[in-house]
Amino acid sequence: MRATARVLVYSDDANTREQVRLASGRRPAADVPPVEFLECATLPAVLKALDEGGIDVCVLDGEAVPAGGMGVCRQIKDEVFRCPPVLLLIGRPQDAWLATWSRADRAVTLPVDPVEFVEAGFEGVVG
């Protein structure tokens, strides 16, 4: 097991980034190492972090502006070699088909439910 799991959290909203941190906690599951968060509020910051490497999971806010997480997800799936798994935060369950279009690995609705979030974002993905 690695010493830490690096999780990139992208949202223009600091409250959404905080929900993600609080939902996962420092160690979201017994089979997952402690989590280290890298928060990004802009698309250039996301692209730079992914270019530098070492990201285990991306959590992208589908409601972010001006670059929404769905478009960001599709872009990084096309452009980043060995793109890490992506958990997409969607505004409503009806947007699940858009998450599929974006090629997100998993999706959960906002506000973040801690149990749903950990199961979707970490179960079998990091470890």
Side-chain angles (χ1 to χ4, degrees), residues 10 16 18 33 35 37-38 48 55 67 73 90-91 94 99 101 123:
Y10 165 66
T16 300
E18 181 181 37
V35 173
F37 293 99
L38 174 61
K48 181 180 181 214
I55 303 296
C73 181
I90 56 178
Q94 296 87 339
W101 168 85
E123 195 171 272

Side-chain angles (χ1 to χ4, degrees), residues 1-125:
M1 184 181 301
R2 290 183 41 190
T4 61
R6 290 194 70 213
V7 178
L8 182 147
V9 182
Y10 165 66
S11 179
D12 66 312
D13 184 344
N15 291 325
T16 300
R17 295 191 308 266
E18 181 181 37
Q19 282 183 44
V20 169
R21 284 193 325 272
L22 292 174
S24 66
R26 295 193 62 216
R27 186 156 193 177
D31 61 341
V32 175
V35 173
E36 172 188 332
F37 293 99
L38 174 61
E39 295 185 34
C40 298
T42 65
L43 175 58
V46 170
L47 298 177
K48 181 180 181 214
L50 289 170
D51 188 47
E52 291 171 356
I55 303 296
D56 295 300
V57 176
C58 294
V59 179
L60 307 178
D61 180 3
E63 305 296 311
V65 290
M70 291 182 203
V72 171
C73 181
R74 190 161 176 98
Q75 179 178 348
I76 66 175
K77 289 291 187 172
D78 284 341
E79 297 177 0
V80 175
F81 181 67
R82 293 191 179 147
C83 183
V86 175
L87 172 62
L88 188 63
L89 305 174
I90 56 178
R92 55 196 188 127
Q94 296 87 339
D95 293 335
W97 72 273
L98 287 168
T100 302
W101 168 85
S102 74
R103 297 197 301 239
D105 296 278
R106 303 204 177 126
V108 296
T109 56
L110 289 167
V112 177
D113 173 81
V115 173
E116 179 187 22
F117 178 79
V118 170
E119 288 176 356
F122 295 96
E123 195 171 272
V125 175

